[in-house]
């Protein structure tokens, strides 16, 4: 096949290669692991025609629903839809963001073709309600298509993928917004330095993270997003999270020391990504992305599902176009004897995004309800998760985010036993701020992921759909049964009885509170690998427990399935 058949929509004068093929190759690889390594190494990145052929092969292998429209459908409908209108001035479908339509070195014919293809996609995929990355996907694939109809067919196959565990492109506001929340969760866990900066310079961190797909599909230069797209077609959606996290890390490293204004941090990130070639090569970006040790696709999928459920409980539907669902702690409604509004907002930035949608609801305070574990449990049971805040008589402040309803302690009857998930964490605020998460997050080598949760990326062993067995429908992100832990001390999250409360265990306890909630102690423990959260023995001055108020259920957050 003549190489010139590809690239008819490209303005070669704007391309870095100037249209010159570099060492054309063939690709005879069929082994998935080898293909994954070749895509990460940029094996076909220097040859326009080879990349086109690889894209054709990879997209053709995507499992699709039977009625996925093909090139012949495009040829049948394009004339009726476009009619005699000028292609370059065609309106864009409602589901795209008109600010996010990069040209990617396309010529005038290519720019018009993007709009024509998008209108035909809108005609054939009426269920798409929000898909801001689609213009970028079309523009990239036009580079490697022989004509508009072929590009339309390839885009259709990506949109029509029917493998429930192979997420490719968000097509509804619900899916898009839950992806933003999931990215926020991942940033909070894997980019703690950058995340801390975002919290400091922005009033609404999730509003900043809502641009994460835009960083990739609108702001990254073509040579970068093409390399990302190479790996994306092989490995799937998780790659996008990786690269966006790497961008956040580089932004923090290169721009973190410079002054930033809260009202322009989104613009600062956008400008950095657009000019990334001044500081970071595509190879370095991908190297950083794949050095991030994310948990398995299954764990991320469970987290995404939980975020979608939280949005649905807020009234967000798949048909929704756009809605601002980002909520911060409202200063006018918040009053605590332990923390300020600013401190509570900082804590809110640490909790899983699906709960950050909610407002804090005071469940228990010893100032009002008395110093009694019985009263503590009476007011806290039925709420999941909860936030424990403690102020000592020495004015030290510490606490814990607890993922599981305290009523779970009753399952062991009168015996003290641990429960909870790896979303639990402990922290101190005064005299200095420090958060300690589950030890496995920072040291995943301590646990070997069990076979049920391994990130099997090969085509033949991709995760199947969630089992109908209820035991598989876990509280997402780090449910301990997913891991072969070296000892039980790595998962001693929370325990309670009529005699005491314990948070964290193994060679010590992160927090121990007595039956009268008068005295406590803190030390290093294996579960959180923490330093003492305050003076090692302390007297409790004030203790508060906060729940998460949802407008639909008056503050009682239902447990996840």
């Amino acid at each position: 096949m003549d190489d010139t058949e590809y690239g008819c929509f490209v303005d070669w004068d704007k391309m870095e290669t100037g249209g010159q093929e570099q060492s054309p190759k063939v690709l005879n690889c069929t082994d998935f692991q080898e293909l994954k390594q070749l895509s990460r190494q940029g094996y076909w990145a220097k040859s326009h025609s080879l990349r086109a052929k690889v894209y054709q092969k990879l997209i053709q292998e995507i499992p699709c629903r039977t009625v996925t429209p093909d090139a012949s459908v495009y040829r049948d409908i394009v004339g009726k839809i476009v009619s005699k209108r000028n292609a370059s001035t065609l309106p864009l479908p409602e589901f795209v963001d008109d600010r996010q339509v990069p040209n990617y070195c396309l010529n005038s014919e290519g720019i018009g073709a993007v709009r024509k293809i998008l209108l035909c996609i809108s005609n054939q995929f009426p269920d798409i309600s929000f898909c801001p990355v689609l213009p970028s996907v079309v523009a990239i694939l036009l580079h490697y298509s022989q004509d508009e109809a072929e590009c339309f067919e390839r885009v259709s196959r990506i949109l029509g993928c029917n493998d429930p565990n192979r997420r490719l492109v968000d097509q509804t506001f619900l899916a898009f917004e839950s992806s933003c929340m999931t990215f926020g969760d991942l940033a909070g866990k894997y980019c703690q330095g950058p995340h801390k900066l975002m919290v400091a310079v922005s009033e609404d961190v999730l509003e900043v993270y809502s641009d994460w797909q835009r960083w990739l599909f609108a702001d990254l230069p073509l040579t970068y997003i093409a390399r990302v797209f190479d790996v994306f077609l092989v490995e799937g959606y998780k790659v996008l999270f990786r690269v966006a996290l790497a961008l956040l890390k580089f932004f923090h490293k290169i721009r973190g020391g410079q002054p930033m204004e809260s009202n322009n941090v989104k613009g600062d990130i956008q400008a950095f990504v657009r000019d990334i070639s001044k500081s970071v090569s595509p190879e370095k970006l991908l190297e950083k992305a794949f050095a991030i040790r994310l948990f398995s696709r299954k764990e991320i999928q469970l987290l995404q599902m939980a975020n979608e459920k939280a949005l649905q409980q807020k009234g967000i539907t798949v048909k929704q176009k756009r809605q601002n669902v980002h909520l911060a702690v409202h200063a006018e409604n918040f009053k605590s004897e332990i923390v300020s509004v600013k401190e509570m907002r900082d804590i809110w930035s640490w909790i899983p995004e699906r709960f950050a949608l909610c407002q804090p609801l005071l469940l228990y305070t010893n100032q009002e309800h008395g110093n009694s574990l019985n009263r503590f449990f009476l007011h806290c049971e039925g709420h999941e998760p909860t936030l424990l805040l403690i102020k000592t008589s020495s004015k030290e402040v510490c606490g814990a985010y607890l993922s599981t309803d305290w009523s779970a302690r009753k399952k062991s009857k009168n015996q003290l036993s641990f429960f909870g998930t790896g979303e639990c964490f402990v922290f101190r605020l005064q005299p200095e701020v420090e958060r300690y998460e589950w030890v496995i997050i920072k040291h995943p080598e301590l646990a070997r992921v069990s076979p049920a949760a391994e990130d099997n990326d090969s085509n033949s062993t991709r995760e199947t759909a969630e089992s109908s067995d209820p035991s598989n429908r876990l509280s997402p992100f780090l449910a301990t049964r997913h891991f072969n832990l070296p000892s039980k001390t790595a998962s001693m999250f929370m325990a309670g009885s009529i005699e005491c409360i314990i948070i964290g265990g193994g060679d010590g306890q992160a927090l121990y509170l007595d039956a009268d909630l008068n005295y406590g102690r803190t030390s290093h423990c294996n579960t959180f690998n923490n330093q003492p959260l305050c003076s090692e023995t302390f007297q409790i001055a004030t203790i508060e427990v906060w729940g998460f108020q949802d407008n639909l259920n008056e503050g009682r957050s239902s447990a996840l399935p």
Side-chain angles (χ1 to χ4, degrees), residues 362-365 368-370 372-383 386 406 545 556:
L362 185 61
L363 304 177
Y364 166 85
T365 169
E368 179 181 345
H369 302 113
S372 161
L373 263 185
N374 282 331
R375 288 182 176 272
F376 176 99
F377 290 133
L378 177 66
H379 287 277
C380 296
E381 285 180 10
H383 294 266
T386 54
W406 278 107
V545 179
R556 290 193 173 248

Side-chain angles (χ1 to χ4, degrees), residues 202-214:
S202 61
E203 293 183 3
D204 188 345
V205 182
L206 188 54
E207 181 65 27
V208 176
Y209 291 154
S210 67
D211 274 352
W212 79 275
Q213 291 188 22
R214 181 187 176 93

Side-chain angles (χ1 to χ4, degrees), residues 60 69-72 148-158:
Q60 200 60 40
D70 58 13
S72 62
E148 294 172 15
E150 184 177 87
C151 181
F152 169 86
E153 179 173 323
R154 292 179 180 177
V155 176
S156 296
R157 290 194 68 81
I158 290 173

Side-chain angles (χ1 to χ4, degrees), residues 10 15 44 80 147 152 402 418 487:
V10 179
M15 293 285 286
W44 52 81
K80 303 169 189 174
D147 55 33
F152 169 86
L402 305 168
F418 284 90
S487 69

Side-chain angles (χ1 to χ4, degrees), residues 517-556:
L517 298 180
N518 281 324
Y519 292 94
R521 59 178 183 262
T522 177
S523 64
H524 168 271
C525 76
N526 292 342
T527 300
F528 300 112
N529 192 30
N530 59 289
Q531 295 299 312
L533 303 178
C534 57
S535 302
E536 294 195 16
T537 58
F538 57 88
Q539 183 174 1
I540 298 170
T542 309
I543 182 169
E544 295 176 350
V545 179
W546 293 81
F548 295 78
Q549 183 170 358
D550 188 290
N551 294 335
L552 297 181
N553 55 25
E554 298 181 347
R556 290 193 173 248

Side-chain angles (χ1 to χ4, degrees), residues 82-268:
V82 175
S83 188
K84 297 180 180 180
R85 292 179 290 177
N86 184 334
S88 63
T89 60
L90 288 171
L92 290 167
E94 284 188 10
F95 58 70
V96 304
D97 184 344
D98 57 7
R99 300 168 302 158
Q100 199 169 318
V101 186
N103 290 336
Y104 287 149
C105 304
L106 294 175
N107 56 29
S108 58
E109 183 182 358
I111 292 170
V114 170
R115 292 177 175 263
K116 291 163 68 176
I117 292 168
L118 286 171
L119 283 176
C120 291
I121 290 289
S122 179
N123 175 270
Q124 291 295 302
F125 290 85
D127 290 338
I128 298 179
S129 58
F130 192 72
C131 192
V133 306
L134 198 55
S136 303
V137 173
V138 173
I140 292 168
L141 290 177
L142 265 178
H143 273 258
Y144 307 102
S145 300
Q146 296 182 67
D147 55 33
E148 294 172 15
E150 184 177 87
C151 181
F152 169 86
E153 179 173 323
R154 292 179 180 177
V155 176
S156 296
R157 290 194 68 81
I158 290 173
L159 294 172
C161 175
N162 64 358
D163 182 343
N165 290 283
R166 193 174 180 186
R167 189 185 186 103
L168 291 175
V169 176
D170 296 328
Q171 299 176 41
T172 66
F173 181 79
L174 178 63
F176 171 83
E177 191 68 18
S178 65
S179 293
C180 295
M181 292 167 63
T182 301
F183 178 78
D185 285 321
L186 297 174
K189 293 194 178 294
Y190 298 104
C191 301
Q192 292 192 10
H195 183 65
K196 187 175 181 180
L197 175 66
M198 295 300 106
V199 172
V201 301
S202 61
E203 293 183 3
D204 188 345
V205 182
L206 188 54
E207 181 65 27
V208 176
Y209 291 154
S210 67
D211 274 352
W212 79 275
Q213 291 188 22
R214 181 187 176 93
W215 303 341
L216 302 177
F217 287 101
D219 299 329
L220 267 184
L222 175 61
T223 52
Y224 289 73
I225 187 57
R227 287 292 303 276
V228 174
F229 206 75
D230 291 346
V231 190
F232 165 72
L233 286 179
V234 176
E235 300 186 44
Y237 200 94
K238 185 177 173 181
V239 168
L240 304 182
F241 283 135
R242 285 187 177 280
V243 176
L245 291 171
L247 287 171
L248 197 60
K249 283 177 175 283
F250 276 122
F251 174 78
H252 177 247
K253 179 181 179 181
I254 295 168
R255 289 291 312 277
Q258 302 175 22
M260 279 178 283
E261 298 180 10
S262 61
N263 61 354
N264 201 33
V265 64
K266 292 178 70 172
D268 288 341

Side-chain angles (χ1 to χ4, degrees), residues 3 17 19-27 41-51 53:
D3 289 345
T17 62
Q20 297 297 313
E21 292 285 321
Q22 299 184 25
S23 59
K25 307 165 185 172
V26 294
L27 185 71
Q41 294 164 6
Y43 180 84
W44 52 81
K46 297 294 185 182
S47 172
H48 198 87
S49 59
L50 180 60
R51 182 180 259 157
K53 293 167 188 173

